[in-house]
Amino acid sequence: MPDRIDVIVVEQGTQRGIAGVAVTTGDGIATTGADGTCAIEVDPLARFAWISCPEGKRPVGDFYRPLPVSEVVFELAAAPASAGNAARLVQFSDTHLVGAGAPVAAPDLANALDALLSESAPDLLIASGDLTNLGTPAELAELQSATSAVDTPLFLMFGGHDGNAERRSAGNEPPFTLNWEACFGPTYYSFDWAGRHIALWPNEETFFSSADRERKRRWLDADLSLNADRGNTILVIHTPPSRAFIDEMTGLGVSLILHGHWHSMKSFHSNGVTVAATGPLCFGGIDTTPRGYRVVEWQGSIAPPTRAVALGAKRLQPANPERLGPFRLTWAQDVADDAEQPLVPAHRAAPALSGERLLLGGSCNDAGAVQCRSATTGHLLWTADLEAAVRNQVTPAGARVLALAMTGALYSLRLEDGSVEWRANLPGHPGRWLYTMPVCADGIVYAGGKAGIGAYRVDSGECDWYAEIEASDAWSCYASPLITPEVIVLLVSRRGLVALSRTDGRIAWETELDVEYQYAAPVRWGDDILTGSEARRLARLRLGDGAIIWHGESLAGRYPCALAVDNERIYVSTSAGAIQALDPETGREQWRVDTGHDLLDMTPYARGVRSSLASPVRMGHWLIVGACDGVLRLLDPASGEVHAAAALGAPITAPIQPIDETALLLSTWDGRLLRYDG
């Protein structure tokens, strides 16, 4: 291979040179002079030469050339779509295409892209990695086939799954990117679009050789430095960035980092940078948010918030039924469509009540929020802004409201006006992925998840103790801690139930169970605990020591999404859409009600199925439960007979909140809040 190559960049058809175009072979960067030429050094590891395409231009053919060569010529044609100062970018991620007949085949991805394009009308598309499941040549060819009909400019990025076939081959050493490169060229590159610099930089380092990792990072620093003065670079990576990396990017002019990998939606602000994770396009996210994508729009130098969008949500037909059996609609508020104070409520969390005050956690404009509304009228009383979304219920505590942002920031807000009384950042903040609610007793609030949980004083936020449990919160789990007089019981996915002493956080007992992140929180029944265990099974454990009393196969679905219990029955919402009643003494099924097909694809790794995420709630003589088919049902707790059903036209993924035996509050996935009175 030659030590250097000559590069020429010219206008299509005129052969007139274009100045200022950045050229690289994957390490250093050179820019073309007034005549459109430059020379760039090449090291033996370089496999391509490529350009960073300026706005208003597009490459004729590929933006890269395989090496070795001694001279390359790039022709650029006019591309008015990337000029100007406004654009709509759509990011999708983690399609995990496998092949014909598999859960995600080329036609499935093609159909999803057709729907995305129809719904969002983007100017450009970015796919942020794990686009195939293994990265075999056959899968990558399927990816090419699935994307070939897309006319909108589409920029693909490598993710670790796209190199798994090479990584798993015996004797292989990194790089594990060669299959990808054979189809799509360099794994990292950049371009300009409508006043923004956009860089795609896969960050799963173990898939690159140590020398390639060094070259890749030198390129990133050089590329971003060339554009740092703008202060508005969009950086696309695959896995969540560390706090240190975010801080480094701040100094290099990055204002937005987009990523995937976690199959969940998350956004927060850190040191002047917005960090946004996007869930999978072709199946439900592991956080049970619907499959979808993220929209980023800008105009001029102003960078508005990004928006997570559920694929197919525009087809929903919301309705506010006037009656639900003996209950009549008193009022309805669309809190997600409030022009002044929009809130996307935490979709799995019931509204919380404190007297006549109704409390909602959720997200607003790439950050988090808690709202207080009148339970009597639904009118807004105050909104408190938090750094990131609240994904579970907030906890009233006297004159305070306790809220846990998914980044690991624990807030105490004044109930009177929503002002922040104190804030405590859990270890690992802001890299936590917390979907649990804080639980409170005896002046102490307990907050955390799989990576660890802490005990904080309600009056001051001072930490009494913090217990590390696992290395991370992987993956998104809504199972909140179960508080008892002596211990806090946690469901730790792929481990079991762990009981921690409320006094010092030490493990009091632990029971190994084959539980997963999708499972419901354990519930207490007398002196025992009920929980999901291995597939299709529930278990009953002694609270005192975690000993298993029974362990039975009784679930209609693979796992329980939500559990509730009264003196007579266990009530279960399952991943198969069935609502069941079971005998707590034996675990045997007493009755079952099946729901309809989901209105949106919310079940992890699935689409086109039936599921129920909301917990059944016993209210007087009724058992009331909603499902992903958008129907709220009033059941006879003893027989399961459906006495009334109301279709609300959007998934019902949160349990109802009883006000008393004659009134209830209901929230829908699309952001409506309704009160029914008997």
Side-chain angles (χ1 to χ4, degrees):
M1 182 181 294
D3 294 334
R4 50 176 275 165
I5 59 173
D6 294 316
V7 178
I8 306 169
V9 182
V10 297
E11 296 271 8
Q12 182 187 31
T14 68
Q15 303 306 304
R16 184 168 54 245
I18 302 176
V21 178
V23 181
T24 187
T25 57
D27 193 338
I29 293 176
T31 56
T32 57
D35 61 353
T37 68
C38 68
I40 187 167
E41 294 183 356
V42 182
D43 71 43
L45 292 175
R47 296 185 286 277
F48 301 96
W50 67 94
I51 62 169
S52 181
C53 195
E55 65 183 68
K57 304 290 183 184
R58 62 171 178 82
V60 178
D62 293 325
F63 70 96
Y64 62 92
R65 300 288 187 272
L67 298 178
V69 293
S70 58
E71 179 183 277
V72 295
V73 178
F74 292 98
E75 280 191 293
L76 301 184
S82 71
N85 67 352
R88 178 182 294 149
L89 179 159
V90 167
Q91 174 214 8
F92 66 91
S93 197
D94 294 83
T95 52
H96 289 273
L97 189 150
V98 178
V104 183
D108 302 314
L109 176 54
N111 290 338
L113 289 173
D114 284 345
L116 179 157
L117 292 167
S118 175
E119 290 181 1
S120 62
D123 297 307
L124 68 159
L125 289 166
I126 289 180
S128 55
D130 282 4
L131 306 181
T132 64
N133 205 48
L134 293 174
T136 63
E139 287 181 355
L140 292 164
E142 290 282 304
L143 177 61
Q144 287 180 313
S145 171
T147 58
S148 61
V150 176
D151 292 329
T152 302
L154 170 59
F155 301 89
L156 305 179
M157 190 183 78
F158 173 89
H161 271 267
D162 302 310
N164 267 343
E166 293 169 85
R167 186 185 66 167
R168 295 175 183 178
S169 295
N172 268 15
E173 294 291 334
F176 304 131
T177 60
L178 301 183
N179 286 349
W180 175 276
E181 291 171 5
C183 290
F184 301 111
T187 57
Y188 54 96
Y189 57 99
S190 65
F191 58 93
D192 292 338
W193 195 289
R196 294 290 192 279
H197 185 64
I198 301 174
L200 283 70
W201 193 74
N203 61 336
E204 288 175 284
E205 301 295 71
T206 57
F207 287 81
F208 297 85
S209 69
S210 58
D212 278 344
R213 290 197 294 269
E214 293 172 2
R215 298 175 71 248
K216 184 166 70 83
R217 182 55 199 254
R218 285 195 295 268
W219 173 86
L220 181 67
D221 290 344
D223 179 82
L224 297 182
S225 295
L226 283 175
N227 299 276
D229 290 345
R230 297 183 184 186
N232 62 9
T233 291
I234 298 171
L235 176 62
V236 184
I237 56 180
H238 182 65
T239 63
S242 67
R243 179 63 180 268
F245 182 83
I246 296 169
D247 292 343
E248 290 171 10
M249 295 303 100
T250 301
L252 291 170
V254 174
S255 60
L256 173 62
I257 297 176
L258 300 173
H259 70 89
H261 182 65
W262 203 272
H263 292 203
S264 303
M265 294 290 187
K266 177 184 179 182
S267 61
F268 65 96
H269 306 287
S270 178
N271 200 11
V273 179
T274 299
V275 181
T278 298
L281 176 67
C282 294
F283 44 78
I286 65 170
D287 61 351
T288 66
T289 53
R291 64 184 181 122
Y293 52 91
R294 187 172 293 276
V295 176
V296 185
E297 294 182 273
W298 66 86
Q299 186 165 6
S301 60
I302 299 174
T306 73
R307 290 185 291 115
V309 180
L311 194 69
K314 289 187 175 182
R315 297 194 302 270
L316 296 177
Q317 297 178 320
N320 298 332
E322 287 296 325
R323 296 198 67 89
L324 174 64
F327 301 97
R328 181 180 294 275
L329 180 66
T330 304
W331 54 256
Q333 297 279 353
D334 190 345
V335 299
D337 199 34
D338 188 313
E340 295 183 359
Q341 298 285 350
L343 177 76
V344 179
H347 85 105
R348 297 283 299 273
L353 275 178
S354 180
E356 288 299 311
R357 291 174 180 258
L358 167 64
L359 299 158
L360 298 168
S363 60
C364 178
N365 294 340
D366 270 342
V370 173
Q371 281 192 359
C372 179
R373 291 177 175 267
S374 166
T376 304
T377 65
H379 292 160
L380 180 67
L381 301 177
W382 53 256
T383 296
D385 296 326
L386 280 58
E387 75 167 20
V390 176
R391 299 303 297 269
N392 213 310
Q393 193 171 39
V394 299
T395 303
R400 302 176 177 89
V401 181
L402 303 168
L404 181 61
M406 65 184 303
T407 51
L410 176 64
Y411 291 83
S412 175
L413 309 173
R414 291 180 178 87
L415 179 62
E416 180 63 29
D417 60 9
S419 58
V420 177
E421 184 178 46
W422 55 258
R423 167 180 165 168
N425 290 338
L426 275 64
H429 168 272
R432 301 295 296 269
W433 294 75
L434 292 173
Y435 293 75
T436 56
M437 65 179 287
V439 295
C440 185
D442 303 323
I444 302 294
V445 54
Y446 303 88
K450 183 177 179 179
I453 186 171
Y456 300 84
R457 298 187 182 181
V458 170
D459 59 357
S460 65
E462 181 182 350
C463 183
D464 276 3
W465 54 258
Y466 182 83
E468 294 184 1
I469 300 174
E470 299 255 324
S472 80
D473 294 310
W475 296 97
S476 308
C477 180
Y478 288 88
S480 296
L482 172 64
I483 188 168
T484 76
E486 302 295 331
V487 296
I488 293 286
V489 181
L490 302 176
L491 183 146
V492 181
S493 62
R494 304 181 184 183
R495 179 166 165 176
L497 295 194
V498 178
L500 304 178
S501 165
R502 285 180 53 185
T503 303
D504 55 17
R506 294 182 181 177
I507 295 178
W509 56 259
E510 179 172 349
T511 301
E512 183 178 345
L513 291 169
D514 189 14
V515 294
E516 276 288 0
Y517 56 84
Q518 305 103 315
Y519 282 35
V523 294
R524 186 173 177 180
W525 190 68
D527 292 329
D528 298 330
I529 295 173
L530 297 161
T531 181
S533 54
E534 57 193 65
R536 298 186 177 275
R537 289 177 175 263
L538 288 184
R540 178 176 157 195
L541 286 67
R542 275 203 310 256
L543 176 58
D545 58 8
I548 295 175
I549 298 171
W550 57 253
H551 191 204
E553 183 172 341
S554 52
L555 294 179
R558 186 176 179 275
Y559 55 88
C561 297
L563 286 169
V565 67
D566 60 20
N567 291 333
E568 300 169 296
R569 298 170 194 87
I570 310 166
Y571 304 106
V572 191
S573 294
T574 74
S575 58
I579 312 299
Q580 293 178 275
L582 311 174
D583 183 347
E585 295 287 355
T586 64
R588 294 192 184 96
E589 181 179 271
Q590 295 182 346
W591 55 255
R592 166 179 171 174
V593 173
D594 291 318
T595 65
H597 281 91
D598 295 356
L599 297 179
L600 295 173
D601 294 317
M602 311 177 87
T603 300
Y605 298 99
R607 62 181 185 276
V609 300
R610 303 168 189 254
S611 64
S612 181
L613 299 173
S615 175
V617 175
R618 182 72 186 265
M619 182 177 161
H621 300 296
W622 306 105
L623 184 74
I624 307 179
V625 61
C628 295
D629 62 0
V631 178
L632 188 68
R633 294 171 173 86
L634 266 67
L635 309 178
D636 182 323
S639 66
E641 180 184 354
V642 180
H643 279 261
L648 284 98
I652 303 169
T653 50
I656 66 156
Q657 172 63 264
I659 297 175
D660 52 35
E661 289 195 0
T662 63
L664 64 92
L665 292 162
L666 168 69
S667 62
T668 60
W669 173 86
D670 59 329
R672 285 172 291 143
L673 188 63
L674 305 95
R675 173 171 174 154
Y676 286 88
D677 284 85

